[in-house]
């Protein structure tokens, strides 16, 4: 989710929160003036500041509950409680802006809670009371998410929300200290206020260490690293169990990581080859992908920043009469498909293996294919519509150059990791794994390097699957 999406979501719930807040404040006014003061002849005076405080606080609560509960769909979670630091390990592996932003937002979301509570209620000017209420509120949200199946129960959310409350309280005490010095009123001691800033200082320090460590490490993080080891007692591994015990040196390769500007330039060149240009008004920029459209909406182009892979659709071919989609042509040979691709500016490396996937769908596969200056790996798929040309293209060919050789674990060590549950698998069920074969495949890491992995073809609970184990030693 982009920042603009988050702002839009918060603004929508804020509008509803303001409406509900005004309604509740009206009820409070009516109850206070009509029932308490007039009918019951109550003498206690409640100032307008109290009503204003409650109105703003209720709006804030509605935004928080809306973002954490109402914006989630039903029934998509597996009822599992995510352990402490699970989301941090997940964010570390992908190291995407979106993953870290979601973690940081958990802190920021409860900072107003830590500020507003002691500001309006004197009883919460004792730090432990505000801390406790922040923890209980965060725990309540996670429990509702678990019971209503509107999200995941994550201990990291509770940690982030509680620390956010602590940071907010610390900022409140700092502001109160400054105001008291200006007005020369009695205030807390500077040492006490400084101690209450420790949650903020420690949070900044922890995130600084994480980002510096990542920035200084040589390679990126392999996406097939497991987040949490699977319970080995729930795994039964059969089939081929004897693999090579030889440790060897394997190459890591460099690939391209495009900036938004470079992705735009790549899109411009592709559209120029197709005889059109980008409609910049329709461009969508996401965390990992940019979506471009041509003038008159004839083409759509999705480009990933990692590796520069892309998917292209030609609407004029797929929907020539803007209504009925024609059937692709089957039985075409390799030369026909290469010529059709060449007419729109796409040249497939010689040596790539050609095959027809299904009726009218064709694929070229390059397995670490050496060219004059680089190595090409991956697949290039397209749909062919005869005289109308190519309708869709999925270019997953990665062009890379050798970077450095690293010591890799042996096939047997990789197999042992499966036995020990050290692989990525979501779930909490008994796994019957029948290993059939092992091969080497590459993937792009979080810094754009192309890393080797052992791919184990296997049957998991009777269904064809595969398990990927990173080959490079940690």
């Amino acid at each position: 989710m982009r920042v603009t999406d988050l702002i839009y979501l918060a603004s929508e719930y804020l509008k509803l929160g303001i409406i509900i807040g005004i309604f509740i404040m009206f009820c409070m006014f009516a109850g206070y003036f009509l029932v308490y003061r007039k009918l019951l002849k109550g003498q206690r005076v409640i100032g307008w500041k109290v009503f204003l405080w409650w109105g703003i606080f209720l709006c804030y609560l509605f935004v928080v509950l809306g973002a954490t509960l109402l914006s989630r769909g039903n029934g998509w979670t597996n009822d599992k409680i995510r352990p402490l630091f699970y989301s941090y390990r997940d964010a570390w592996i992908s190291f995407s802006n979106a993953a870290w932003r979601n973690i940081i937002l958990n802190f920021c979301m409860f900072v107003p809670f830590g500020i507003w509570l002691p500001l309006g209620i004197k009883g919460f000017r004792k730090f432990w009371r505000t801390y406790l209420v922040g923890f209980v509120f965060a725990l309540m949200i996670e429990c509702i998410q678990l019971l209503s199946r509107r999200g995941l129960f994550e201990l990291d959310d509770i940690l982030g929300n509680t620390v956010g409350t602590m940071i907010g309280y610390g900022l409140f005490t700092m502001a109160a200290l400054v105001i008291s010095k200006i007005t020369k009123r009695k205030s807390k001691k500077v040492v006490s206020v400084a101690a209450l800033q420790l949650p903020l200082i420690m949070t900044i320090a922890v995130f600084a260490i994480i980002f510096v460590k990542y920035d200084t490490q040589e390679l990126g993080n392999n996406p097939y690293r497991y987040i949490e080891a699977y319970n080995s007692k729930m795994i039964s591994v059969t089939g081929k169990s004897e693999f090579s015990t030889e440790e060897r040196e394997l190459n890591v390769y460099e690939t391209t990581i495009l900036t938004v500007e470079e992705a735009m330039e790549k899109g411009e060149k592709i559209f120029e080859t197709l005889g059109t240009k980008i409609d910049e008004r329709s461009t969508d920029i996401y965390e990992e992908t940019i979506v471009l459209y041509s003038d008159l909406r004839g083409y759509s182009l999705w480009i990933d920043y990692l590796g520069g892979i892309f998917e292209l659709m030609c609407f004029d071919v797929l929907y020539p009469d803007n209504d009925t989609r024609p059937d692709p042509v089957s039985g075409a040979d390799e030369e026909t498909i290469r010529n059709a691709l060449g007419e729109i500016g796409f040249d497939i490396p010689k040596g790539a293996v050609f095959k027809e996937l299904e009726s009218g769908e064709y694929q070229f596969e390059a397995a670490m294919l050496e060219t004059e200056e680089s190595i090409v790996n991956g697949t290039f798929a397209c749909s062919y519509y005869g005289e109308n040309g190519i309708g869709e293209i999925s270019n997953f060919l990665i062009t890379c150059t050798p970077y450095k050789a690293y010591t890799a674990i042996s096939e047997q060590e990789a197999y042992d990791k499966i036995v020990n549950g050290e692989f990525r698998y979501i779930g909490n069920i008994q796994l019957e794994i029948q290993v059939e074969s092992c091969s080497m495949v590459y993937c792009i890491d979080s810094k754009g390097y192309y890393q080797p992995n052992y791919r184990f073809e296997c049957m998991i609970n009777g269904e064809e699957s595969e398990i990927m184990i990173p080959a490079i030693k940690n």
Side-chain angles (χ1 to χ4, degrees):
M1 184 178 289
R2 293 174 291 180
V3 173
T4 52
D5 296 330
L6 292 169
I7 293 173
Y8 173 77
L9 183 64
S11 66
E12 289 300 303
Y13 285 117
L14 181 58
K15 294 173 186 176
L16 292 174
I18 290 173
I19 295 172
I20 292 174
I22 291 174
F23 174 75
I24 294 175
M25 287 177 67
F26 174 79
C27 294
M28 291 172 62
F29 268 110
Y32 173 70
F33 287 106
L34 297 179
V35 179
Y36 177 74
R37 293 296 298 271
K38 192 167 184 179
L39 297 179
L40 301 179
K41 307 299 181 182
Q43 299 300 314
R44 184 177 177 183
V45 177
I46 301 178
W48 64 270
K49 292 181 181 180
V50 174
F51 288 101
L52 179 62
W53 183 90
W54 274 106
I56 296 175
F57 189 59
L58 290 172
C59 289
Y60 163 74
L61 290 180
F62 189 83
V63 171
V64 171
L65 293 175
T68 55
L69 299 176
L70 301 181
S71 64
R72 309 292 178 87
N74 284 323
W76 61 275
T77 181
N78 58 11
D79 296 332
K80 186 178 180 182
I81 297 177
R82 290 280 173 84
L84 199 60
F85 303 124
Y86 182 95
S87 62
Y88 291 82
R89 293 194 292 268
D90 189 17
W92 172 261
I93 291 172
S94 66
F95 223 88
S96 66
N97 292 334
W100 286 115
R101 185 179 62 239
N102 289 337
I103 291 174
I104 293 172
L105 282 174
N106 277 323
F107 290 80
C108 297
M109 186 168 57
F110 269 58
V111 170
F113 192 84
I115 295 174
W116 207 246
L117 210 57
L119 181 63
I121 303 176
K122 290 183 178 180
F124 288 105
R125 291 180 185 175
K126 292 186 177 181
F127 74 92
W128 64 270
R129 290 181 179 176
T130 300
Y131 290 5
L132 179 61
V133 172
F135 168 78
V136 171
F137 185 37
L139 178 62
M140 180 196 73
I141 291 174
E142 295 303 310
C143 289
I144 293 175
Q145 285 182 333
L146 181 65
L147 296 175
S148 66
R149 298 177 66 83
R150 285 182 172 272
L152 298 170
F153 187 107
E154 297 189 77
L155 294 177
D156 290 339
D157 287 354
I158 298 176
L159 173 64
N161 295 161
T162 304
V163 174
T165 302
M166 297 166 71
I167 292 172
Y169 182 85
L171 295 176
F172 165 77
T173 59
M174 185 184 296
L177 177 64
V178 173
I179 293 172
S180 66
K181 293 296 183 183
I182 295 174
T183 59
K184 297 182 180 179
R185 294 179 181 176
K186 184 179 179 181
S187 63
K188 288 187 177 183
K189 294 180 180 179
V190 174
V191 175
S192 300
V193 173
L196 292 169
Q197 309 312 312
L198 286 176
L200 175 59
I201 295 170
M202 292 178 65
T203 299
I204 294 173
V206 167
F207 280 103
I209 291 171
I210 290 172
F211 285 93
V212 169
K213 184 178 186 301
Y214 177 79
D215 190 57
T216 54
Q217 72 180 27
E218 187 173 16
L219 300 178
N221 300 320
N222 192 309
Y224 292 114
R225 285 176 58 179
Y226 67 91
I227 302 172
E228 180 185 15
Y230 207 88
N231 187 353
S232 60
K233 295 180 180 179
M234 300 181 66
I235 299 174
S236 174
V237 183
T238 58
K240 184 177 180 181
S241 59
E242 293 185 3
F243 295 94
S244 171
T245 59
E246 177 188 0
E247 291 187 352
R248 48 182 173 156
E249 297 286 310
L250 293 176
N251 275 330
V252 169
Y253 298 87
E254 286 184 294
T255 61
T256 302
I257 300 182
L258 301 177
T259 63
V260 173
E261 293 74 19
E262 289 170 338
M264 285 282 290
E265 290 178 7
K266 184 182 180 90
E268 287 175 356
K269 290 179 181 178
I270 292 175
F271 281 158
E272 184 179 346
T273 303
L274 295 170
T276 184
K277 59 181 180 179
I278 293 175
D279 179 6
E280 296 186 1
R281 297 169 300 176
S282 303
T283 298
D284 291 319
I285 299 174
Y286 298 95
E287 297 286 348
E288 300 174 352
T289 304
I290 187 170
V291 183
L292 305 171
Y293 295 91
S294 67
D295 269 356
L296 305 179
R297 310 287 286 188
Y299 296 92
S300 71
L301 179 63
W302 297 60
I303 302 177
D304 287 357
Y305 306 132
L306 278 180
I309 59 178
F310 63 85
E311 294 183 81
L312 175 71
M313 292 182 65
C314 177
F315 300 113
D316 293 336
V317 172
L318 297 175
Y319 306 99
D321 55 3
N322 295 320
D323 184 22
T324 305
R325 182 168 181 168
D327 294 325
V329 176
S330 60
D333 58 22
E334 180 177 352
E335 183 179 359
T336 300
I337 300 301
R338 282 185 177 273
N339 289 337
L341 289 170
E343 289 178 2
I344 56 176
F346 295 103
D347 185 25
I348 309 302
K350 294 181 180 179
V353 178
F354 172 80
K355 64 180 178 180
E356 184 172 2
L357 298 176
E358 53 186 59
S359 179
E361 302 289 331
Y362 302 89
Q363 176 182 282
F364 293 88
E365 183 174 4
M368 303 305 288
L369 184 64
E370 295 187 10
T371 63
E372 293 182 1
E373 298 179 352
S374 58
I375 291 174
V376 180
N377 189 58
T379 61
F380 185 106
C382 65
S383 59
Y384 178 60
Y385 292 84
E387 294 181 356
N388 293 323
I390 302 295
E392 297 172 280
I393 288 175
S394 296
N395 180 14
F396 298 143
L397 292 174
I398 302 293
T399 301
C400 53
T401 55
Y403 170 68
K404 189 176 177 181
Y406 292 85
T407 302
I409 62 175
S410 66
E411 291 182 349
Q412 185 62 44
E413 288 177 283
Y415 174 82
D416 292 339
K417 287 182 179 291
I418 297 177
V419 175
N420 296 329
E422 298 176 8
F423 58 91
R424 286 186 77 110
Y425 193 89
I426 299 175
N428 190 31
I429 60 174
Q430 188 72 35
L431 298 182
E432 300 288 338
I433 303 174
Q434 182 177 346
V435 177
E436 297 179 348
S437 64
C438 177
S439 59
M440 182 68 65
V441 295
Y442 276 74
C443 71
I444 302 178
D445 69 20
S446 59
K447 285 189 175 183
Y449 291 99
Y450 215 36
Q451 291 197 30
N453 303 272
Y454 289 109
R455 178 172 64 190
F456 290 88
E457 301 286 348
C458 54
M459 302 289 290
I460 299 181
N461 293 346
E463 296 184 0
E464 290 187 4
S465 187
E466 63 182 26
I467 295 176
M468 306 287 284
I469 303 294
I472 300 300
K473 279 192 171 184
N474 291 332

